[in-house]
């Protein structure tokens, strides 16, 4: 149990930043992959585009020159986000991360070498995808990575 306003430090956790283009596990990592008959420059491009039913706007996001630009386009509040987005957003993030790992075996191997460590997206502002400022956030991006790691581990055992 935590003794203060901040969660206890987890000795077995590995912290990373999702929005760092140099972080292989991050959604901004520039590792293009094929999904839904298109090449996506990053996980972030795919995730942001899937927020919208408008295929022309999806294409605008897919063609953004940087993941940061894709995120900005995906946060455009003048565009109508699909009605089921809250229910499906983790599925789309998982699909993109898994596909990236299957496309780049070196990233999959790196993810597998994290063993059973808890993976934590270290965002002080994002309490859904990250751990938040007080480390009590939902850490859904870390959970996505750990679930993909488990699936990759199971697939490796089945070979």
């Amino acid at each position: 149990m935590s003794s203060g306003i901040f969660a206890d430090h987890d000795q077995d956790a590995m912290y990373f930043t999702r929005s760092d283009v140099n972080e292989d596990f991050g959604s901004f990592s520039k590792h293009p992959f094929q999904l839904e008959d298109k090449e996506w420059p990053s996980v972030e491009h795919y995730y942001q585009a899937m927020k919208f039913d408008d295929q022309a706007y999806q294409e605008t996001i897919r063609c953004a020159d940087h993941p940061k630009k894709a995120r900005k386009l995906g946060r455009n509040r003048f565009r109508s986000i699909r009605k089921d987005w809250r229910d499906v957003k983790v599925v789309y993030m998982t699909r993109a991360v898994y596909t990236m790992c299957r496309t780049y075996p070196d990233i999959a191997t790196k993810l597998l070498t994290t063993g059973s460590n808890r993976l934590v997206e270290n965002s002080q502002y994002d309490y859904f995808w990250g751990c938040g400022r007080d480390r009590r956030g939902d850490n859904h991006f870390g959970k996505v990575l750990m679930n993909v790691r488990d699936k990759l581990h199971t697939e490796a055992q089945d070979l």
Side-chain angles (χ1 to χ4, degrees), residues 24-26 31-35 43 46 90-105 107-109 111-112 141 143-156 158:
D24 287 339
F25 300 154
H31 287 91
F33 57 89
Q34 293 284 329
L35 193 55
V43 167
Y46 177 78
V90 173
V91 172
Y92 280 102
M93 184 65 83
T94 302
R95 181 183 294 167
V97 170
Y98 175 75
T99 303
M100 181 184 68
C101 286
R102 297 298 289 153
T103 304
Y104 298 93
I107 295 175
T109 300
L111 184 57
L112 286 168
F141 192 75
K143 291 174 184 175
V144 164
L145 286 172
M146 291 182 285
N147 289 336
V148 169
R149 177 181 65 194
D150 291 346
K151 182 166 179 54
L152 293 170
H153 183 68
T154 300
E155 290 174 353
D158 291 343

Side-chain angles (χ1 to χ4, degrees), residues 38 40 49-50 52-62:
K38 295 180 181 173
W40 298 91
M50 293 301 106
F52 304 95
D53 290 322
D54 180 348
Q55 291 188 1
Y57 197 62
Q58 286 180 355
E59 188 65 12
T60 298
I61 294 171
R62 189 181 74 80

